[in-house]
Amino acid sequence: MKPRLKHRLEYGAFRTALGALNALPPAVARSVGAGVASLGHRPFRIRADHVRQNLARAFPEQTEAWRREIAAQSYAHLGREMIAMMQLSRMSPDELIASTEVVDYERIGRMVRASEGGTVVVGGHFGNWEIGTATMAARGYPVNLVAQRQTNPLFDEYLVDARRRLGIRVIERRQAPRLGLRALRRGEILVFGADQNAGRNGIFVPFFGHPASTHRGPALLALRARALFFLAVPLRVEDGRWRVELEQIEYDPEGDVDEVVYRITADFTARLEAAVRRTPGQYLWHHRRWKTRPRPGQEPPPASQV
């Protein structure tokens, strides 16, 4: 897509802001990001209704005051981590490794290296969702990230280039069935963000007790390649440091494909929910996760039947 004037103006403003932030010490820049994003909560209330509705749906048992506090934390966290993500491409592999702890890394590393079918890693918009991908690339693993193209082609090019400098190959989502499967069959890592509304093409699995349309691609590709499957939980533990937990999703590849895909998808979504419940202030509550509602017959089966 050829950039339009609107795209050039948006990108120019972004690069100006980025240049100003890069002139600050990294910790100060992240603090500024948190402060600016907090203004989106109050007084400007950017997507505030979505955040309020999502938290009420996810935590109906909590008080309104508790949900307001989690919303405030989520806005500040988003701003802080967006700046941290922008700083990633300026970090050396050694700096990335030093800033992240991968829990049980030696054992998981041996599993990933030995997997002939590659490794699928799914994550959510939780913690710092770029750091987990970047730190595995910094550790020498061939990493492919499935990503949606940005509407602004200049910003899209910036993101692809920044990820490439980190050693991450970007696969556009529509090409994932072909290029992602090839990557897995080469024994590589394939990373998905898997917690956004998938519309009518998704499958409905429970998320915080409500049916949520979820992409089936990660589970389907893992099944076709007989790949390892992990959920990534990359949480900020202090400013400038993150802990990446990789929870293995074990599955039986035999049986009806749709049923196996459903079980894998429901499993990683339930584990993501459990992680978000532990640290709700680091989740992106701004997305309309439950936007698409199931038609009759699309509702998830009772837990006893999964």
Side-chain angles (χ1 to χ4, degrees):
M1 179 194 301
K2 184 177 180 179
R4 301 198 300 268
L5 177 60
K6 175 186 176 182
H7 296 145
R8 296 185 187 281
L9 292 174
E10 290 174 345
Y11 186 68
F14 164 74
R15 291 307 299 257
T16 299
L18 182 60
L21 288 167
N22 283 341
L24 299 173
V28 174
R30 292 190 290 269
S31 180
V32 170
V36 171
S38 293
L39 297 176
H41 180 220
R42 294 188 178 185
F44 296 120
R45 295 185 52 77
I46 298 171
R47 287 186 171 251
D49 287 342
H50 295 333
V51 173
R52 178 181 56 78
Q53 291 165 8
N54 284 342
L55 283 168
R57 186 189 294 263
F59 297 101
E61 75 283 3
Q62 296 290 352
T63 66
E64 183 65 29
W66 183 91
R67 293 195 290 265
R68 283 198 300 269
E69 174 58 26
I70 296 302
Q73 291 178 21
S74 180
Y75 276 87
H77 176 79
L78 174 62
R80 185 184 300 109
E81 299 308 307
M82 288 300 294
I83 300 302
M85 291 174 192
M86 293 175 188
Q87 295 168 340
L88 281 179
S89 62
R90 301 169 59 199
M91 297 172 69
S92 69
D94 287 344
E95 289 173 324
L96 263 169
I97 293 170
S99 67
T100 54
E101 173 198 1
V102 179
V103 177
D104 203 11
Y105 170 70
E106 294 299 330
R107 182 183 67 85
I108 291 173
R110 287 194 298 269
M111 293 173 63
V112 170
R113 288 189 292 271
S115 175
E116 295 181 358
T119 303
V120 170
V121 178
V122 296
H125 288 76
F126 184 41
N128 187 312
W129 52 90
E130 294 277 354
I131 197 78
T133 307
T135 195
M136 295 305 288
R139 286 168 164 81
Y141 293 89
V143 176
N144 305 267
L145 174 66
V146 176
Q148 187 74 31
R149 298 295 296 268
Q150 302 295 311
T151 55
N152 185 324
L154 297 174
F155 187 57
D156 185 74
E157 183 180 351
Y158 168 85
L159 279 179
V160 171
D161 184 61
R163 287 163 171 162
R164 187 181 298 118
R165 290 197 300 272
L166 291 165
I168 301 167
R169 180 189 178 200
V170 176
I171 297 176
E172 201 271 325
R173 185 178 293 276
R174 289 175 298 180
Q175 296 179 313
R178 178 171 56 89
L179 299 182
L181 188 58
R182 287 183 186 176
L184 290 174
R185 287 176 172 166
R186 291 193 299 265
E188 298 177 1
I189 297 175
L190 186 64
V191 180
F192 289 86
D195 69 328
Q196 290 193 312
N197 176 56
R200 289 296 169 198
N201 293 324
I203 54 175
F204 288 89
V205 299
F207 189 54
F208 284 90
H210 303 278
S213 177
T214 306
H215 291 285
R216 54 187 277 124
L220 186 59
L221 287 178
L223 184 59
R224 286 177 175 171
R226 296 299 194 263
L228 287 173
F229 202 108
F230 290 94
L231 170 72
V233 180
L235 292 178
R236 180 177 58 83
V237 291
E238 58 184 87
D239 190 37
R241 288 196 57 77
W242 296 267
R243 183 182 69 249
V244 182
E245 298 180 10
L246 293 167
E247 297 186 31
Q248 186 178 5
I249 309 295
E250 298 187 72
Y251 62 94
D252 181 355
E254 302 303 325
D256 179 79
V257 170
D258 288 340
E259 291 181 3
V260 176
V261 167
Y262 178 88
R263 287 197 297 268
I264 296 172
T265 306
D267 192 352
F268 79 69
T269 301
R271 293 181 190 228
L272 174 63
E273 176 187 326
V276 173
R277 284 185 180 277
R278 293 192 294 269
T279 317
Q282 290 196 36
Y283 190 64
L284 182 73
W285 294 103
H286 305 64
H287 175 64
R288 295 180 66 186
R289 183 65 182 92
W290 295 278
K291 177 182 178 181
T292 303
R293 308 311 307 139
R295 294 173 177 147
Q298 289 185 313
E299 297 87 351
S304 61
Q305 297 180 17
V306 176

